Amino acid sequence: MQHRPPAIFVADSLGLDFLNSIAIPVDAPVDWLDSGDGFLKWLAQAKLAPADALEELRARAMPGELDKVADQARALREWFRGFVRKYMGRPLPPRALQELAPLNRLLQRDETFSQILRHRERDGERFELRVERRWRSPESLLLPIGEALAKFVCEEDFSRVKACEGHDCTLVFADHTRSQARRWCSMAICGNRAKQAAHRNRLRNRR
């Protein structure tokens, strides 16, 4: 299998990072959810599921089962991309709730519960209440993504959601800067490319 770079997490929002799980990091598109194996690796990098749950589901899955869940994840991603593109750059209107029915249906399938667990600290141990999830089947891997998307809808200001201005860049992000002047997915990538292009243009104009 062809080597691929690590997944991209530059959106300042896990919900938008999910949309950025397909991108053009160099010169060719990369879809980190293109297979069941890729989907598990992206979930691990996003820290959306514990490593032991991922390994257990990998071991229990029937042939092709994880690939089918990856198909569902890509369909969820493109549905949510359409929703974000429709409303990005302005406050989310109340009527948008009707369009979120598919996400609410996914959330209804969740199985979470609270547990009292020990938490180790430097000065000893204490008890803490932690929310756990039952990972009954590979499809349960869609649930933490649904939760991340729901949190994004409810907690993010859609007027701060932007698309990177980089040439051919498909990434989106939440602009949390005070001046709301962020233009690039990353200054190290698209921002630097824009600076280099502007520098070349200035040199040509001087000539």
Side-chain angles (χ1 to χ4, degrees):
M1 187 170 74
Q2 187 176 7
H3 175 73
R4 66 177 64 187
I8 298 172
F9 297 93
V10 297
D12 280 344
S13 166
L14 195 50
L16 294 182
D17 283 325
F18 178 58
L19 297 188
N20 294 340
S21 61
I22 182 170
I24 308 174
V26 182
D27 55 3
V30 175
D31 189 343
W32 283 271
L33 312 183
D34 64 348
S35 66
D37 183 65
F39 181 44
L40 292 181
K41 289 179 179 177
W42 185 87
L43 286 168
Q45 291 178 69
K47 296 181 172 61
L48 279 175
D52 56 348
L54 293 175
E55 288 307 312
E56 182 180 350
L57 287 171
R58 186 195 299 272
R60 288 186 357 222
M62 300 293 289
E65 192 174 10
L66 289 172
D67 289 336
K68 289 181 181 179
V69 176
D71 290 342
Q72 295 177 53
R74 292 194 299 274
L76 176 64
R77 180 183 65 192
E78 298 316 309
W79 166 80
F80 195 66
R81 187 187 310 282
F83 180 85
V84 170
R85 283 179 174 172
K86 181 176 180 178
Y87 293 110
M88 63 187 290
R90 57 194 174 97
L92 192 64
R95 68 175 184 277
L97 178 61
Q98 300 176 0
E99 300 175 49
L100 293 169
L103 183 53
N104 274 333
R105 286 196 294 270
L106 173 61
L107 295 171
Q108 287 171 3
R109 292 156 45 188
D110 206 349
E111 288 192 71
T112 57
F113 58 96
S114 298
Q115 288 278 279
I116 300 173
L117 301 172
R118 288 189 303 178
H119 178 70
R120 292 184 179 179
E121 296 182 337
R122 288 184 178 179
D123 56 351
E125 294 186 351
R126 64 179 177 85
F127 292 142
E128 70 172 5
L129 188 63
R130 190 182 304 170
V131 176
E132 300 286 325
R133 175 175 275 114
R134 293 184 177 88
W135 306 95
R136 295 189 185 276
S137 70
E139 285 194 347
S140 63
L141 294 171
L142 297 171
L143 300 175
I145 296 175
E147 185 179 37
L149 301 184
K151 286 182 177 179
F152 169 75
V153 169
C154 295
E155 299 174 3
E156 190 60 65
D157 181 353
F158 266 60
S159 63
R160 290 179 174 263
V161 178
K162 298 180 178 179
C164 179
E165 296 181 19
H167 180 65
D168 288 337
C169 185
T170 61
L171 301 185
V172 291
F173 57 84
D175 184 355
H176 293 154
T177 62
R178 182 174 299 179
S179 60
Q180 297 189 45
R182 181 178 173 184
R183 300 174 59 193
W184 319 109
C185 62
S186 168
M187 282 303 300
I189 304 174
C190 288
N192 187 51
R193 290 173 183 169
K195 285 184 178 181
Q196 292 176 352
H199 179 66
R200 288 193 295 269
N201 287 335
R202 286 194 296 270
L203 291 178
R204 279 196 294 267
N205 290 336
R206 288 174 185 172
R207 292 169 185 168

PDB file of all heavy atoms in Angstrom, residues 113-139:
ATOM      1  N   PHE A 113     -22.349   5.595  28.846  1.00  0.00           N
ATOM      2  CA  PHE A 113     -22.698   5.443  30.252  1.00  0.00           C
ATOM      3  C   PHE A 113     -21.570   6.036  31.080  1.00  0.00           C
ATOM      4  O   PHE A 113     -20.441   6.216  30.599  1.00  0.00           O
ATOM      5  CB  PHE A 113     -22.901   3.962  30.605  1.00  0.00           C
ATOM      6  CG  PHE A 113     -21.705   3.099  30.329  1.00  0.00           C
ATOM      7  CD1 PHE A 113     -20.809   2.791  31.329  1.00  0.00           C
ATOM      8  CD2 PHE A 113     -21.472   2.600  29.043  1.00  0.00           C
ATOM      9  CE1 PHE A 113     -19.695   2.010  31.074  1.00  0.00           C
ATOM     10  CE2 PHE A 113     -20.366   1.808  28.783  1.00  0.00           C
ATOM     11  CZ  PHE A 113     -19.472   1.510  29.804  1.00  0.00           C
ATOM     12  N   SER A 114     -21.844   6.354  32.318  1.00  0.00           N
ATOM     13  CA  SER A 114     -20.849   6.949  33.210  1.00  0.00           C
ATOM     14  C   SER A 114     -20.276   5.892  34.139  1.00  0.00           C
ATOM     15  O   SER A 114     -20.972   4.966  34.563  1.00  0.00           O
ATOM     16  CB  SER A 114     -21.471   8.080  34.024  1.00  0.00           C
ATOM     17  OG  SER A 114     -21.928   9.113  33.177  1.00  0.00           O
ATOM     18  N   GLN A 115     -18.998   6.033  34.446  1.00  0.00           N
ATOM     19  CA  GLN A 115     -18.326   5.113  35.350  1.00  0.00           C
ATOM     20  C   GLN A 115     -17.432   5.898  36.310  1.00  0.00           C
ATOM     21  O   GLN A 115     -16.803   6.897  35.918  1.00  0.00           O
ATOM     22  CB  GLN A 115     -17.445   4.139  34.558  1.00  0.00           C
ATOM     23  CG  GLN A 115     -18.226   3.096  33.771  1.00  0.00           C
ATOM     24  CD  GLN A 115     -18.642   1.932  34.639  1.00  0.00           C
ATOM     25  OE1 GLN A 115     -17.882   1.016  34.907  1.00  0.00           O
ATOM     26  NE2 GLN A 115     -19.879   1.979  35.109  1.00  0.00           N
ATOM     27  N   ILE A 116     -17.384   5.445  37.569  1.00  0.00           N
ATOM     28  CA  ILE A 116     -16.450   6.020  38.530  1.00  0.00           C
ATOM     29  C   ILE A 116     -15.141   5.249  38.408  1.00  0.00           C
ATOM     30  O   ILE A 116     -15.103   4.022  38.582  1.00  0.00           O
ATOM     31  CB  ILE A 116     -16.999   5.921  39.965  1.00  0.00           C
ATOM     32  CG1 ILE A 116     -18.321   6.675  40.079  1.00  0.00           C
ATOM     33  CG2 ILE A 116     -15.980   6.465  40.965  1.00  0.00           C
ATOM     34  CD1 ILE A 116     -19.017   6.484  41.407  1.00  0.00           C
ATOM     35  N   LEU A 117     -14.078   5.953  38.104  1.00  0.00           N
ATOM     36  CA  LEU A 117     -12.778   5.318  37.875  1.00  0.00           C
ATOM     37  C   LEU A 117     -11.703   6.027  38.692  1.00  0.00           C
ATOM     38  O   LEU A 117     -11.880   7.166  39.134  1.00  0.00           O
ATOM     39  CB  LEU A 117     -12.420   5.380  36.384  1.00  0.00           C
ATOM     40  CG  LEU A 117     -13.411   4.712  35.419  1.00  0.00           C
ATOM     41  CD1 LEU A 117     -13.041   5.030  33.986  1.00  0.00           C
ATOM     42  CD2 LEU A 117     -13.448   3.204  35.640  1.00  0.00           C
ATOM     43  N   ARG A 118     -10.589   5.338  38.857  1.00  0.00           N
ATOM     44  CA  ARG A 118      -9.455   5.946  39.544  1.00  0.00           C
ATOM     45  C   ARG A 118      -8.629   6.755  38.552  1.00  0.00           C
ATOM     46  O   ARG A 118      -8.388   6.331  37.435  1.00  0.00           O
ATOM     47  CB  ARG A 118      -8.593   4.881  40.203  1.00  0.00           C
ATOM     48  CG  ARG A 118      -9.232   4.233  41.422  1.00  0.00           C
ATOM     49  CD  ARG A 118      -8.243   3.362  42.155  1.00  0.00           C
ATOM     50  NE  ARG A 118      -7.667   2.331  41.288  1.00  0.00           N
ATOM     51  CZ  ARG A 118      -6.741   1.462  41.683  1.00  0.00           C
ATOM     52  NH1 ARG A 118      -6.264   1.502  42.901  1.00  0.00           N
ATOM     53  NH2 ARG A 118      -6.294   0.538  40.850  1.00  0.00           N
ATOM     54  N   HIS A 119      -8.192   7.910  39.010  1.00  0.00           N
ATOM     55  CA  HIS A 119      -7.374   8.786  38.168  1.00  0.00           C
ATOM     56  C   HIS A 119      -6.081   9.090  38.912  1.00  0.00           C
ATOM     57  O   HIS A 119      -6.101   9.604  40.028  1.00  0.00           O
ATOM     58  CB  HIS A 119      -8.124  10.086  37.862  1.00  0.00           C
ATOM     59  CG  HIS A 119      -7.321  11.042  37.040  1.00  0.00           C
ATOM     60  ND1 HIS A 119      -7.026  10.817  35.718  1.00  0.00           N
ATOM     61  CD2 HIS A 119      -6.733  12.224  37.365  1.00  0.00           C
ATOM     62  CE1 HIS A 119      -6.308  11.820  35.247  1.00  0.00           C
ATOM     63  NE2 HIS A 119      -6.119  12.686  36.225  1.00  0.00           N
ATOM     64  N   ARG A 120      -4.968   8.738  38.299  1.00  0.00           N
ATOM     65  CA  ARG A 120      -3.677   8.952  38.943  1.00  0.00           C
ATOM     66  C   ARG A 120      -3.166  10.361  38.702  1.00  0.00           C
ATOM     67  O   ARG A 120      -3.217  10.874  37.590  1.00  0.00           O
ATOM     68  CB  ARG A 120      -2.658   7.937  38.427  1.00  0.00           C
ATOM     69  CG  ARG A 120      -2.951   6.507  38.849  1.00  0.00           C
ATOM     70  CD  ARG A 120      -1.860   5.569  38.381  1.00  0.00           C
ATOM     71  NE  ARG A 120      -2.116   4.194  38.799  1.00  0.00           N
ATOM     72  CZ  ARG A 120      -1.309   3.180  38.498  1.00  0.00           C
ATOM     73  NH1 ARG A 120      -0.227   3.383  37.760  1.00  0.00           N
ATOM     74  NH2 ARG A 120      -1.607   1.961  38.925  1.00  0.00           N
ATOM     75  N   GLU A 121      -2.662  10.973  39.758  1.00  0.00           N
ATOM     76  CA  GLU A 121      -2.038  12.285  39.678  1.00  0.00           C
ATOM     77  C   GLU A 121      -0.691  12.222  40.386  1.00  0.00           C
ATOM     78  O   GLU A 121      -0.345  11.220  41.013  1.00  0.00           O
ATOM     79  CB  GLU A 121      -2.945  13.344  40.325  1.00  0.00           C
ATOM     80  CG  GLU A 121      -4.269  13.523  39.595  1.00  0.00           C
ATOM     81  CD  GLU A 121      -5.124  14.596  40.233  1.00  0.00           C
ATOM     82  OE1 GLU A 121      -4.927  14.887  41.427  1.00  0.00           O
ATOM     83  OE2 GLU A 121      -5.981  15.156  39.524  1.00  0.00           O
ATOM     84  N   ARG A 122       0.059  13.311  40.325  1.00  0.00           N
ATOM     85  CA  ARG A 122       1.390  13.323  40.930  1.00  0.00           C
ATOM     86  C   ARG A 122       1.330  13.110  42.445  1.00  0.00           C
ATOM     87  O   ARG A 122       2.207  12.482  43.033  1.00  0.00           O
ATOM     88  CB  ARG A 122       2.084  14.651  40.629  1.00  0.00           C
ATOM     89  CG  ARG A 122       2.523  14.792  39.173  1.00  0.00           C
ATOM     90  CD  ARG A 122       3.285  16.075  38.973  1.00  0.00           C
ATOM     91  NE  ARG A 122       3.756  16.213  37.595  1.00  0.00           N
ATOM     92  CZ  ARG A 122       4.443  17.255  37.147  1.00  0.00           C
ATOM     93  NH1 ARG A 122       4.727  18.250  37.986  1.00  0.00           N
ATOM     94  NH2 ARG A 122       4.832  17.310  35.898  1.00  0.00           N
ATOM     95  N   ASP A 123       0.294  13.669  43.051  1.00  0.00           N
ATOM     96  CA  ASP A 123       0.203  13.586  44.506  1.00  0.00           C
ATOM     97  C   ASP A 123      -0.666  12.421  44.975  1.00  0.00           C
ATOM     98  O   ASP A 123      -1.091  12.381  46.130  1.00  0.00           O
ATOM     99  CB  ASP A 123      -0.336  14.894  45.091  1.00  0.00           C
ATOM    100  CG  ASP A 123      -1.689  15.277  44.489  1.00  0.00           C
ATOM    101  OD1 ASP A 123      -2.104  14.619  43.510  1.00  0.00           O
ATOM    102  OD2 ASP A 123      -2.317  16.211  44.997  1.00  0.00           O
ATOM    103  N   GLY A 124      -0.966  11.479  44.084  1.00  0.00           N
ATOM    104  CA  GLY A 124      -1.750  10.324  44.484  1.00  0.00           C
ATOM    105  C   GLY A 124      -2.843   9.990  43.486  1.00  0.00           C
ATOM    106  O   GLY A 124      -2.716  10.269  42.293  1.00  0.00           O
ATOM    107  N   GLU A 125      -3.895   9.394  43.977  1.00  0.00           N
ATOM    108  CA  GLU A 125      -5.015   9.008  43.131  1.00  0.00           C
ATOM    109  C   GLU A 125      -6.301   9.626  43.653  1.00  0.00           C
ATOM    110  O   GLU A 125      -6.435   9.936  44.837  1.00  0.00           O
ATOM    111  CB  GLU A 125      -5.167   7.480  43.094  1.00  0.00           C
ATOM    112  CG  GLU A 125      -4.025   6.758  42.426  1.00  0.00           C
ATOM    113  CD  GLU A 125      -4.294   5.270  42.300  1.00  0.00           C
ATOM    114  OE1 GLU A 125      -5.290   4.806  42.884  1.00  0.00           O
ATOM    115  OE2 GLU A 125      -3.527   4.580  41.615  1.00  0.00           O
ATOM    116  N   ARG A 126      -7.238   9.801  42.766  1.00  0.00           N
ATOM    117  CA  ARG A 126      -8.568  10.272  43.140  1.00  0.00           C
ATOM    118  C   ARG A 126      -9.585   9.596  42.232  1.00  0.00           C
ATOM    119  O   ARG A 126      -9.237   8.994  41.224  1.00  0.00           O
ATOM    120  CB  ARG A 126      -8.676  11.793  43.013  1.00  0.00           C
ATOM    121  CG  ARG A 126      -8.527  12.317  41.586  1.00  0.00           C
ATOM    122  CD  ARG A 126      -8.674  13.825  41.547  1.00  0.00           C
ATOM    123  NE  ARG A 126      -8.461  14.351  40.206  1.00  0.00           N
ATOM    124  CZ  ARG A 126      -9.402  14.414  39.272  1.00  0.00           C
ATOM    125  NH1 ARG A 126     -10.625  13.967  39.530  1.00  0.00           N
ATOM    126  NH2 ARG A 126      -9.140  14.909  38.080  1.00  0.00           N
ATOM    127  N   PHE A 127     -10.837   9.689  42.613  1.00  0.00           N
ATOM    128  CA  PHE A 127     -11.916   9.160  41.787  1.00  0.00           C
ATOM    129  C   PHE A 127     -12.388  10.231  40.824  1.00  0.00           C
ATOM    130  O   PHE A 127     -12.395  11.421  41.143  1.00  0.00           O
ATOM    131  CB  PHE A 127     -13.100   8.702  42.652  1.00  0.00           C
ATOM    132  CG  PHE A 127     -12.805   7.502  43.503  1.00  0.00           C
ATOM    133  CD1 PHE A 127     -13.311   7.414  44.786  1.00  0.00           C
ATOM    134  CD2 PHE A 127     -12.033   6.460  43.015  1.00  0.00           C
ATOM    135  CE1 PHE A 127     -13.045   6.318  45.574  1.00  0.00           C
ATOM    136  CE2 PHE A 127     -11.767   5.353  43.794  1.00  0.00           C
ATOM    137  CZ  PHE A 127     -12.268   5.288  45.084  1.00  0.00           C
ATOM    138  N   GLU A 128     -12.802   9.797  39.636  1.00  0.00           N
ATOM    139  CA  GLU A 128     -13.403  10.725  38.681  1.00  0.00           C
ATOM    140  C   GLU A 128     -14.538  10.024  37.946  1.00  0.00           C
ATOM    141  O   GLU A 128     -14.525   8.800  37.779  1.00  0.00           O
ATOM    142  CB  GLU A 128     -12.376  11.246  37.683  1.00  0.00           C
ATOM    143  CG  GLU A 128     -11.870  10.220  36.687  1.00  0.00           C
ATOM    144  CD  GLU A 128     -11.000  10.842  35.612  1.00  0.00           C
ATOM    145  OE1 GLU A 128     -10.706  12.040  35.686  1.00  0.00           O
ATOM    146  OE2 GLU A 128     -10.623  10.102  34.677  1.00  0.00           O
ATOM    147  N   LEU A 129     -15.506  10.827  37.534  1.00  0.00           N
ATOM    148  CA  LEU A 129     -16.638  10.307  36.773  1.00  0.00           C
ATOM    149  C   LEU A 129     -16.332  10.489  35.296  1.00  0.00           C
ATOM    150  O   LEU A 129     -16.127  11.608  34.832  1.00  0.00           O
ATOM    151  CB  LEU A 129     -17.929  11.049  37.146  1.00  0.00           C
ATOM    152  CG  LEU A 129     -19.230  10.480  36.576  1.00  0.00           C
ATOM    153  CD1 LEU A 129     -19.471   9.080  37.113  1.00  0.00           C
ATOM    154  CD2 LEU A 129     -20.402  11.395  36.913  1.00  0.00           C
ATOM    155  N   ARG A 130     -16.285   9.371  34.586  1.00  0.00           N
ATOM    156  CA  ARG A 130     -15.897   9.411  33.181  1.00  0.00           C
ATOM    157  C   ARG A 130     -16.991   8.785  32.314  1.00  0.00           C
ATOM    158  O   ARG A 130     -17.601   7.787  32.695  1.00  0.00           O
ATOM    159  CB  ARG A 130     -14.589   8.641  32.981  1.00  0.00           C
ATOM    160  CG  ARG A 130     -13.961   8.809  31.593  1.00  0.00           C
ATOM    161  CD  ARG A 130     -12.712   7.981  31.470  1.00  0.00           C
ATOM    162  NE  ARG A 130     -11.733   8.292  32.507  1.00  0.00           N
ATOM    163  CZ  ARG A 130     -10.638   7.567  32.727  1.00  0.00           C
ATOM    164  NH1 ARG A 130     -10.398   6.474  32.004  1.00  0.00           N
ATOM    165  NH2 ARG A 130      -9.790   7.909  33.675  1.00  0.00           N
ATOM    166  N   VAL A 131     -17.233   9.401  31.172  1.00  0.00           N
ATOM    167  CA  VAL A 131     -18.215   8.874  30.225  1.00  0.00           C
ATOM    168  C   VAL A 131     -17.542   7.826  29.344  1.00  0.00           C
ATOM    169  O   VAL A 131     -16.509   8.099  28.729  1.00  0.00           O
ATOM    170  CB  VAL A 131     -18.821  10.001  29.357  1.00  0.00           C
ATOM    171  CG1 VAL A 131     -19.759   9.414  28.312  1.00  0.00           C
ATOM    172  CG2 VAL A 131     -19.567  11.005  30.227  1.00  0.00           C
ATOM    173  N   GLU A 132     -18.115   6.643  29.300  1.00  0.00           N
ATOM    174  CA  GLU A 132     -17.585   5.545  28.498  1.00  0.00           C
ATOM    175  C   GLU A 132     -18.602   5.203  27.402  1.00  0.00           C
ATOM    176  O   GLU A 132     -19.764   5.595  27.458  1.00  0.00           O
ATOM    177  CB  GLU A 132     -17.341   4.314  29.370  1.00  0.00           C
ATOM    178  CG  GLU A 132     -16.355   4.543  30.502  1.00  0.00           C
ATOM    179  CD  GLU A 132     -14.926   4.625  30.009  1.00  0.00           C
ATOM    180  OE1 GLU A 132     -14.589   3.900  29.046  1.00  0.00           O
ATOM    181  OE2 GLU A 132     -14.149   5.418  30.586  1.00  0.00           O
ATOM    182  N   ARG A 133     -18.135   4.471  26.396  1.00  0.00           N
ATOM    183  CA  ARG A 133     -19.015   4.082  25.286  1.00  0.00           C
ATOM    184  C   ARG A 133     -18.885   2.583  25.039  1.00  0.00           C
ATOM    185  O   ARG A 133     -17.803   2.028  25.126  1.00  0.00           O
ATOM    186  CB  ARG A 133     -18.644   4.867  24.031  1.00  0.00           C
ATOM    187  CG  ARG A 133     -19.412   4.473  22.795  1.00  0.00           C
ATOM    188  CD  ARG A 133     -19.086   5.364  21.620  1.00  0.00           C
ATOM    189  NE  ARG A 133     -19.889   6.581  21.618  1.00  0.00           N
ATOM    190  CZ  ARG A 133     -19.385   7.807  21.793  1.00  0.00           C
ATOM    191  NH1 ARG A 133     -18.093   7.985  21.989  1.00  0.00           N
ATOM    192  NH2 ARG A 133     -20.177   8.860  21.769  1.00  0.00           N
ATOM    193  N   ARG A 134     -20.007   1.942  24.745  1.00  0.00           N
ATOM    194  CA  ARG A 134     -19.984   0.528  24.378  1.00  0.00           C
ATOM    195  C   ARG A 134     -19.693   0.407  22.883  1.00  0.00           C
ATOM    196  O   ARG A 134     -20.402   0.979  22.058  1.00  0.00           O
ATOM    197  CB  ARG A 134     -21.329  -0.129  24.711  1.00  0.00           C
ATOM    198  CG  ARG A 134     -21.624  -0.220  26.198  1.00  0.00           C
ATOM    199  CD  ARG A 134     -22.916  -0.978  26.449  1.00  0.00           C
ATOM    200  NE  ARG A 134     -23.171  -1.146  27.875  1.00  0.00           N
ATOM    201  CZ  ARG A 134     -23.834  -0.256  28.626  1.00  0.00           C
ATOM    202  NH1 ARG A 134     -24.319   0.840  28.074  1.00  0.00           N
ATOM    203  NH2 ARG A 134     -24.023  -0.484  29.907  1.00  0.00           N
ATOM    204  N   TRP A 135     -18.658  -0.329  22.552  1.00  0.00           N
ATOM    205  CA  TRP A 135     -18.251  -0.512  21.157  1.00  0.00           C
ATOM    206  C   TRP A 135     -18.736  -1.880  20.708  1.00  0.00           C
ATOM    207  O   TRP A 135     -17.971  -2.830  20.623  1.00  0.00           O
ATOM    208  CB  TRP A 135     -16.737  -0.380  21.039  1.00  0.00           C
ATOM    209  CG  TRP A 135     -16.206   0.898  21.612  1.00  0.00           C
ATOM    210  CD1 TRP A 135     -15.709   1.087  22.864  1.00  0.00           C
ATOM    211  CD2 TRP A 135     -16.147   2.166  20.961  1.00  0.00           C
ATOM    212  NE1 TRP A 135     -15.333   2.390  23.031  1.00  0.00           N
ATOM    213  CE2 TRP A 135     -15.586   3.085  21.883  1.00  0.00           C
ATOM    214  CE3 TRP A 135     -16.504   2.623  19.686  1.00  0.00           C
ATOM    215  CZ2 TRP A 135     -15.380   4.426  21.578  1.00  0.00           C
ATOM    216  CZ3 TRP A 135     -16.299   3.958  19.383  1.00  0.00           C
ATOM    217  CH2 TRP A 135     -15.743   4.835  20.304  1.00  0.00           C
ATOM    218  N   ARG A 136     -20.029  -1.998  20.429  1.00  0.00           N
ATOM    219  CA  ARG A 136     -20.625  -3.293  20.144  1.00  0.00           C
ATOM    220  C   ARG A 136     -20.325  -3.786  18.724  1.00  0.00           C
ATOM    221  O   ARG A 136     -20.277  -4.985  18.476  1.00  0.00           O
ATOM    222  CB  ARG A 136     -22.148  -3.225  20.343  1.00  0.00           C
ATOM    223  CG  ARG A 136     -22.561  -2.964  21.785  1.00  0.00           C
ATOM    224  CD  ARG A 136     -24.058  -3.132  21.935  1.00  0.00           C
ATOM    225  NE  ARG A 136     -24.538  -2.786  23.263  1.00  0.00           N
ATOM    226  CZ  ARG A 136     -24.525  -3.603  24.301  1.00  0.00           C
ATOM    227  NH1 ARG A 136     -24.035  -4.826  24.176  1.00  0.00           N
ATOM    228  NH2 ARG A 136     -24.993  -3.223  25.482  1.00  0.00           N
ATOM    229  N   SER A 137     -20.159  -2.887  17.771  1.00  0.00           N
ATOM    230  CA  SER A 137     -19.957  -3.281  16.380  1.00  0.00           C
ATOM    231  C   SER A 137     -19.131  -2.213  15.679  1.00  0.00           C
ATOM    232  O   SER A 137     -18.976  -1.098  16.194  1.00  0.00           O
ATOM    233  CB  SER A 137     -21.313  -3.430  15.666  1.00  0.00           C
ATOM    234  OG  SER A 137     -21.909  -2.149  15.502  1.00  0.00           O
ATOM    235  N   PRO A 138     -18.578  -2.502  14.501  1.00  0.00           N
ATOM    236  CA  PRO A 138     -17.830  -1.483  13.767  1.00  0.00           C
ATOM    237  C   PRO A 138     -18.638  -0.208  13.515  1.00  0.00           C
ATOM    238  O   PRO A 138     -18.068   0.879  13.473  1.00  0.00           O
ATOM    239  CB  PRO A 138     -17.467  -2.198  12.456  1.00  0.00           C
ATOM    240  CG  PRO A 138     -17.329  -3.623  12.850  1.00  0.00           C
ATOM    241  CD  PRO A 138     -18.423  -3.843  13.863  1.00  0.00           C
ATOM    242  N   GLU A 139     -19.954  -0.329  13.363  1.00  0.00           N
ATOM    243  CA  GLU A 139     -20.765   0.866  13.127  1.00  0.00           C
ATOM    244  C   GLU A 139     -20.748   1.816  14.316  1.00  0.00           C
ATOM    245  O   GLU A 139     -21.023   3.015  14.159  1.00  0.00           O
ATOM    246  CB  GLU A 139     -22.203   0.472  12.780  1.00  0.00           C
ATOM    247  CG  GLU A 139     -22.356  -0.076  11.374  1.00  0.00           C
ATOM    248  CD  GLU A 139     -23.808  -0.134  10.947  1.00  0.00           C
ATOM    249  OE1 GLU A 139     -24.693   0.005  11.821  1.00  0.00           O
ATOM    250  OE2 GLU A 139     -24.048  -0.300   9.736  1.00  0.00           O
TER     251      GLU A 139
END
